[in-house]
Amino acid sequence: MSNSTAAKQPIFDAGDVGAQAQGFVNASVVWVQAYWLQILIAAAAGAAIVVVLHTARRFGRKLCNRPQALGGWGIVVGKAIGRTSNFFIVMLAAKLVAGYAATPGEVATTISFLFTVAAVFQAAVWVREIILGAIEHRTQSEHYSGEALLSAMGLIRLLVTFLVFAVALVVVLDNLGVNVTGLVAGLGVGGIAIGLAAQGIFADLFAALAIIFDRPFRRGDSISYDTASGSVEAIGLKSTRIRGIDGEERVISNKNLLDKEILNNTQRNHRRAKFVIGVTYFTPADVCARLPALLKEVVEANDKIFIRAGFTGFGASSLDFEVQFDSDGPDYASFYNGRSAVGIAILKRLNDEKIEIAFPTQVNMMAAPDGSVVMPYPDIKASSDPAATPA
């Protein structure tokens, strides 16, 4: 009989809840009557804490209007502080003064629970604002723009919001005594499924974030990768668009681009040119010895940075020399024109010095049956003698 009666008892007993509420009210009344002075002092201290926190929040909102504050990060910090909720401020003040007011167990437990909820979700808001603010600050400082960036920021905002608030919910439920093992496992399985389904998109998205934060190149930079070169026109959610040197538009996924070795030509501090000059084998040795100094004079006369010049080897039809020199800065047009000027100046100086530049030559020798060399042309002297001409 007792077992059936126990089985029929409802899971939710309104009377028990009412008794707990009545007990909470009675404990609060007794507490106020016994410690009214401490409660007043604690309330005054709590009010002061609330005022201080509100002042800090107003200061944070003012930082949003100072783009140069804290090295440009003032807006990020200001937005995070400005998103502090009134509920968190009140519960923080109550938590700080609760001990002084000798709060009873029922009231202290309620304050602790509400403070935990407020603190966890407030921390989630701060983390979200700092992450998103940092990304926005970096994209603005690097002048990234366009619909692709807006789409990327929308997706990033959704992912960050879901992640931080999912963690906050798990923490709150765990503090309530709820077994969150199944919830965590479900979130993990769901995250894995979503990650596998959209791994290509996420790979390119994280690659775009890597480009924004690591800054291997920026929009407008001239880069080279593989055998291609061009100027970066746009960095999007999934791909980067590059204007090729022949005018074509190249589109490459962010992940594939970062997997390659990228040469950022805009970040060069100089460009180097090299000429290989071959002079004939008839050039005297003393003239060859003077040639490196001569090349140096020509390079420096054209306001270029001389690196080295010297003899490099015996070619098939020439004595080979090499000269290397640098042009300041990354500008390719200036480098190109400077290289042309130096090349023409070298040619003029060699002509003035009567130093012949070799060109590929080949001599074919004819041999008689006995192995002796036969001249490939008739004897001019013999052919010009009338007496030698048969009648």
Side-chain angles (χ1 to χ4, degrees):
M1 183 66 177
S2 59
N3 291 337
S4 62
T5 303
K8 294 180 180 179
Q9 290 180 351
I11 298 176
F12 177 77
D13 190 349
D16 183 60
V17 174
Q20 291 182 9
Q22 186 62 40
F24 177 80
V25 172
N26 294 336
S28 300
V29 171
V30 173
W31 170 54
V32 172
Q33 292 175 349
Y35 297 97
W36 62 269
L37 181 58
Q38 290 91 330
I39 293 174
L40 290 178
I41 297 175
I49 294 173
V50 170
V51 171
V52 171
L53 294 178
H54 273 282
T55 303
R57 187 173 65 178
R58 285 195 297 270
F59 174 75
R61 290 173 177 173
K62 289 181 180 180
L63 282 177
C64 297
N65 300 322
R66 300 177 183 176
Q68 303 304 323
L70 300 178
W73 290 90
I75 296 179
V76 178
V77 177
K79 284 184 177 180
I81 297 176
R83 292 300 302 273
T84 304
S85 66
N86 291 325
F87 179 62
F88 171 74
I89 291 175
V90 172
M91 295 314 304
L92 176 60
K95 182 68 175 177
L96 292 176
V97 301
Y100 176 79
T103 55
E106 295 85 347
V107 177
T109 301
T110 303
I111 293 176
S112 296
F113 167 71
L114 294 177
F115 171 74
T116 299
V117 174
V120 169
F121 283 103
Q122 184 61 61
V125 171
W126 284 339
V127 170
R128 182 189 63 178
E129 292 300 322
I130 291 174
I131 293 175
L132 296 178
I135 296 174
E136 291 176 356
H137 170 73
R138 183 54 62 93
T139 55
Q140 291 174 0
S141 64
E142 300 302 328
H143 307 290
Y144 296 105
S145 61
E147 294 182 359
L149 178 62
L150 295 177
S151 300
M153 287 304 302
L155 181 57
I156 293 170
R157 183 180 296 276
L158 176 62
L159 292 176
V160 171
T161 301
F162 173 78
L163 178 62
V164 296
F165 279 99
V167 173
L169 178 61
V170 171
V171 172
V172 170
L173 292 177
D174 185 60
N175 277 272
L176 290 175
V178 178
N179 186 1
V180 297
T181 303
L183 177 60
V184 173
L187 291 174
V189 172
I192 293 174
I194 295 174
L196 291 176
Q199 58 181 341
I201 296 176
F202 286 136
D204 289 325
L205 173 62
F206 291 133
L209 292 178
I211 293 174
I212 292 174
F213 282 94
D214 192 47
R215 294 183 295 181
F217 54 82
R218 309 176 187 180
R219 190 178 64 175
D221 282 359
S222 174
I223 65 172
S224 300
Y225 61 96
D226 287 344
T227 59
S229 298
S231 178
V232 179
E233 287 193 338
I235 301 172
L237 170 64
K238 182 173 175 56
S239 62
T240 295
R241 299 179 184 273
I242 301 171
R243 182 65 61 182
I245 58 177
D246 294 327
E248 76 281 6
E249 184 182 61
R250 297 176 178 269
V251 182
I252 181 171
S253 68
N254 294 325
K255 181 181 181 301
N256 289 339
L257 182 59
L258 288 187
D259 286 340
K260 304 179 184 299
E261 180 183 15
I262 300 173
L263 304 180
N264 193 331
N265 297 313
T266 304
Q267 300 301 320
R268 288 175 179 263
N269 54 17
H270 68 274
R271 288 181 178 269
R272 178 160 297 181
K274 179 178 71 173
F275 287 131
V276 177
I277 303 167
V279 299
T280 64
Y281 272 95
F282 300 105
T283 305
D286 60 333
V287 175
C288 290
R290 292 191 295 107
L291 192 54
L294 182 148
L295 295 173
K296 179 180 179 181
E297 291 177 7
V298 174
V299 169
E300 292 178 344
N302 284 270
D303 298 326
K304 299 302 177 184
I305 303 172
F306 175 79
I307 302 300
R308 62 180 63 88
F311 179 70
T312 59
F314 297 92
S317 56
S318 63
L319 299 172
D320 295 335
F321 290 80
E322 180 183 85
V323 59
Q324 297 181 15
F325 56 93
D326 290 345
S327 296
D328 279 331
D331 184 57
Y332 184 77
S334 175
F335 160 77
Y336 190 90
N337 294 332
R339 182 180 60 182
S340 177
V342 171
I344 294 174
I346 290 175
L347 178 62
K348 184 177 184 303
R349 183 66 179 273
L350 293 179
N351 289 337
D352 293 342
E353 297 286 339
K354 307 300 182 183
I355 301 175
E356 295 186 13
I357 298 178
F359 55 88
T361 57
Q362 183 175 3
V363 178
N364 296 323
M365 307 299 291
M366 299 178 63
D370 60 356
S372 61
V373 176
V374 177
M375 296 299 291
Y377 48 84
D379 190 348
I380 298 176
K381 183 177 182 180
S383 63
S384 63
D385 187 359
T389 304

